[in-house]
Amino acid sequence: MGNNFFSVSFDLIVLDKSIPYDLYVNSSASSERERFVRIYPKNDILSLEDLKLFKKKYFQLYVHEFQREDYLKSLIQISGVADTTKTEVIKSSAIHYLDKLFDKDKEFTTELLSETISECKVAVESMVDVIKDYDVSKLQGLIASLSFHDFYTYDHSINVSMYCISLYRAAKPNAKKDEIVMAGLGGLLHDIGKIKISTDIINKPEKLSDEEFNIIKTHPAFGFELLAENPCDCEGVDFNIIKRVVYEHHENFNGSGYPRKLSGADIHLLARVTAIADFFDAITTKRTYHEVLSTEDAITVMAKTVGKKLDPQLFEVFTKSVKQLVFNGKLNKELPEDFDPCQPQNVLPFRNPRGYKVEGFGAGDKPQSFGKIKKKVG
């Protein structure tokens, strides 16, 4: 498909009210040549009968790229469509926006960054509206139903954004929408510094070498520098907050994190929110190289890092937002204090409370089957 148009579903077109975008079809019979023709103008009212006629006449409808934001904003107006379907469209758009930043063939400029962040903000605003009634448990089910992209960073960033929205809303029930959007935008952009890191390292399916992991650990500083050196003018975006989330999301509550070893309230609230979302998604979302923990076991494992890695008050809010969960986790194991969501693991490196290293489960292993004690550490 041409770079200037994107396809839209017949079921996701605004009906019986003014549509905020033009509709196009590809009139070319050649798969190698595209010629887009407008068939319905912006601001006209499209009826169900009109749409049925389009379905009979045309294989696919398109919207011009410069009207993508208008299209995303219109999704919330469409009734009778599953949240999964709407979320999938928003996720696809977010991936499209992030891809422009991560595209090694494109020159990185302040204009590109500003445009992308403005677009990402619209995607987050739409997401906030769609998942406004979702607790963490329900949100996890929604995320599991979405399609996967072959670049894990995109899926992970979008998932983290969604969990940040849910957690921040739970922590501050009276928060205004623009505050919640900032929480989601911080989550979506938290790994922006990885655009300076080789995709060979980012996508490596096994544990990184010490040298490679040290490179990965530079991404918060890289991200901060990108934002500081390319001041953007995006309406409704507080860049001081975004810079702090990008810079501080790997700081630990007890001061043992990086890059500045900040602790407690010195770490921005939204960075602490992002840290919980980042950790939870890393151990509950399927990757190609390891199995995942159940929600119950993930909460149990994360609880053992409270006060060390995670903010105790925020984590309490997080666990309360996981409804209908009985906290009698089956795992008497814990992850090492230096566990990092950015470090790929063939097996999750569990330790039991007596200091033994225990093999986790990875590809081909059954969940809850944790192998044998390998060796004593410390």
Side-chain angles (χ1 to χ4, degrees):
M1 189 180 70
N3 291 330
N4 295 325
F5 292 85
F6 63 97
S7 61
V8 297
S9 168
F10 287 96
D11 297 328
L12 293 176
I13 302 293
V14 173
L15 296 177
D16 299 324
K17 58 184 69 175
S18 177
I19 61 172
Y21 43 81
D22 301 294
L23 291 173
Y24 293 80
V25 294
N26 179 13
S27 64
S28 175
S30 170
S31 61
E32 297 181 358
R33 295 186 61 187
E34 296 173 323
R35 189 164 69 89
F36 292 95
V37 176
R38 189 176 73 168
I39 61 167
Y40 210 84
K42 175 180 178 178
N43 295 327
D44 270 17
I45 297 175
L46 186 70
S47 71
L48 181 59
E49 291 305 314
D50 292 327
L51 188 64
K52 287 179 178 177
L53 181 61
F54 289 165
K55 282 185 177 181
K56 288 182 179 179
K57 290 179 64 176
Y58 307 118
F59 175 72
Q60 182 67 64
L61 297 179
Y62 299 88
V63 172
H64 198 283
E65 187 59 51
F66 74 78
Q67 293 179 324
R68 185 188 285 265
E69 292 183 17
D70 299 311
Y71 177 73
L72 287 182
K73 290 177 181 177
S74 74
L75 285 178
I76 198 65
Q77 303 175 37
I78 303 171
S79 59
V81 176
D83 289 346
T84 302
T85 303
K86 293 180 181 180
T87 304
E88 191 70 72
V89 173
I90 297 168
K91 176 177 178 177
S92 295
S93 293
I95 287 174
H96 172 76
Y97 299 145
L98 291 173
D99 193 49
K100 291 195 294 185
L101 284 181
F102 279 83
D103 187 348
K104 301 296 185 185
D105 295 328
K106 282 190 176 182
E107 180 184 0
F108 182 89
T109 63
T110 300
E111 291 73 25
L112 175 65
L113 179 65
S114 181
E115 175 187 285
T116 302
I117 291 180
S118 293
E119 292 169 336
C120 284
K121 177 175 175 283
V122 173
V124 172
E125 288 172 337
S126 301
M127 190 70 78
V128 167
D129 288 333
V130 171
I131 65 172
K132 63 181 183 296
D133 298 321
Y134 279 64
D135 59 38
V136 171
S137 238
K138 188 176 179 183
L139 186 56
Q140 189 182 13
L142 177 65
I143 287 173
S145 69
L146 301 175
S147 61
F148 291 96
H149 190 274
D150 57 2
F151 188 19
Y152 170 76
T153 298
Y154 294 162
D155 289 306
H156 176 63
S157 296
I158 294 164
N159 295 351
V160 168
S161 175
M162 294 168 73
Y163 285 128
C164 286
I165 290 168
S166 180
L167 175 53
Y168 188 78
R169 184 179 269 134
K172 297 189 67 175
N174 297 320
K176 296 178 181 178
K177 182 178 177 180
D178 58 353
E179 293 179 60
I180 302 169
V181 169
M182 286 302 297
L185 189 58
L188 186 62
L189 299 173
H190 76 286
D191 275 342
I192 191 173
K194 288 183 178 177
I195 68 176
K196 283 194 169 186
I197 296 174
S198 167
T199 53
D200 290 339
I201 294 178
I202 295 173
N203 290 335
K204 187 176 178 180
E206 64 266 358
K207 187 172 182 178
L208 302 176
S209 67
D210 290 344
E211 181 181 359
E212 290 168 332
F213 189 42
N214 285 333
I215 292 173
I216 281 283
K217 289 171 70 174
T218 62
H219 77 273
F222 278 156
F224 180 85
E225 290 168 8
L226 284 173
L227 294 173
E229 294 170 2
N230 296 275
C232 300
D233 182 19
C234 301
E235 185 178 352
V237 178
D238 187 330
F239 274 91
N240 288 327
I241 292 177
I242 297 300
K243 282 189 289 188
R244 289 196 62 182
V245 172
V246 168
Y247 201 24
E248 298 172 15
H249 69 278
H250 280 293
E251 300 287 358
N252 291 337
F253 196 77
N254 68 355
S256 64
Y258 62 88
R260 293 193 296 161
K261 297 191 178 301
L262 299 179
S263 63
D266 289 340
I267 307 168
H268 195 281
L269 172 64
L270 292 186
R272 285 176 271 148
V273 167
T274 302
I276 291 175
D278 191 20
F279 195 163
F280 184 72
D281 184 66
I283 61 177
T284 60
T285 298
K286 176 76 171 116
R287 304 192 197 186
T288 57
Y289 44 80
H290 74 65
E291 293 292 338
V292 298
L293 296 182
S294 68
T295 303
E296 184 180 356
D297 285 338
I299 294 292
T300 301
V301 167
M302 291 173 71
K304 293 170 183 174
T305 73
V306 168
K308 302 172 186 176
K309 190 179 266 310
L310 305 178
D311 181 313
Q313 290 183 310
L314 281 175
F315 187 73
E316 182 178 0
V317 172
F318 185 73
T319 56
K320 287 180 178 178
S321 72
V322 183
K323 295 182 178 177
Q324 298 179 341
L325 183 65
V326 178
F327 291 105
N328 58 353
K330 304 173 183 64
L331 286 180
N332 187 28
K333 310 288 187 294
E334 58 189 49
L335 291 168
E337 290 188 15
D338 63 353
F339 174 77
D340 192 303
C342 285
Q343 170 69 282
Q345 304 283 350
N346 288 314
V347 294
L348 292 174
F350 289 115
R351 301 170 189 269
N352 69 19
R354 292 189 300 276
Y356 289 93
K357 185 174 181 180
V358 180
E359 294 179 352
F361 55 86
D365 295 329
K366 295 180 180 179
Q368 321 306 332
S369 175
F370 299 101
K372 300 177 180 179
I373 295 173
K374 284 183 72 174
K375 63 180 179 180
K376 189 171 182 177
V377 291

